[in-house]
Amino acid sequence: MLDQLTLPVSVEASRASVLIRRADQGDLGAIMRLLADDPVSAGRGDAASGVDEPAYAAGLDRILADPGNDLLVAVDETTGVVGTLQLTLIPGMARRGSTRLLVEAVRVASSERSSGIGTALMRWVTGPAARELGATLVQLTSDAARVDAHRFYTRLGFVDSHVGFKYTVV
């Protein structure tokens, strides 16, 4: 499913182009740092600790082994990995059997925010990637605490149309 996505692909950000490609285990440390670089994620325990590396490695393996999921990284030729996001293709019955593209865990390094990288990533997802995958709807969730992210997604044309719920299994 997601393996039909043409990657790598170069996208233009405000200050430079970045390469979007599939993540691999060699990107694990950078992805962990991106998660820890985010205050909301850090508050949930994403600390980029070596102790947690096996759990993250197993998670990455599961994502990459699932044809309906993919984890992508955005790479700047001088800085390295500067962003990441997960895509999940969801076939459905609603909306006349439409396919949805779910975007999760979008992160851009704090040193690169406001550089256009996030905009370039999301415009690629909502444009070429969604069309190539046959998705008629791109959706995402965003933690209620991410007020800046909400403004960002609204500016890109996303509509906050639903209320999300989570249940923690203990």
Side-chain angles (χ1 to χ4, degrees):
M1 292 168 39
L2 278 165
D3 60 349
Q4 68 190 17
L5 196 55
T6 304
L7 290 170
V9 63
S10 183
V11 296
E12 292 300 319
S14 301
R15 62 161 187 78
S17 65
V18 292
L19 186 73
I20 301 171
R21 63 168 173 77
R22 286 186 173 85
D24 59 37
Q25 285 294 339
D27 299 314
L28 188 61
I31 294 166
M32 289 172 58
R33 285 187 296 278
L34 285 168
L35 292 169
D37 187 32
D38 174 74
V40 174
S41 289
R44 294 180 192 148
D46 288 314
S49 167
V51 172
D52 297 327
E53 191 169 325
Y56 287 106
L60 181 55
D61 283 342
R62 285 191 307 274
I63 292 167
L64 297 178
D66 182 339
N69 277 282
D70 218 338
L71 192 71
L72 308 179
V73 290
V75 181
D76 174 278
E77 92 178 17
T78 58
T79 312
V81 174
V82 293
T84 188
L85 57 82
Q86 180 177 344
L87 297 179
T88 302
L89 206 54
I90 306 171
M93 293 299 295
R95 297 180 185 243
R96 300 177 61 217
S98 69
T99 298
R100 298 168 190 237
L101 182 58
L102 176 67
V103 185
E104 282 289 320
V106 179
R107 300 291 187 280
V108 172
S110 58
S111 61
E112 301 295 326
R113 292 188 193 133
S114 298
S115 68
I117 291 171
T119 298
L121 283 170
M122 294 306 295
R123 290 211 188 282
W124 173 79
V125 167
T126 58
R131 284 190 296 275
E132 190 172 347
L133 294 168
T136 57
L137 184 71
V138 176
Q139 63 187 35
L140 55 83
T141 61
S142 180
D143 191 284
R146 296 182 189 279
V147 178
D148 290 339
H150 301 165
R151 281 193 297 268
F152 169 72
Y153 293 125
T154 299
R155 192 176 77 244
L156 292 175
F158 284 84
V159 177
D160 62 350
S161 61
H162 289 67
V163 174
F165 296 90
K166 292 186 180 186
Y167 182 87
T168 301
V169 178
V170 292

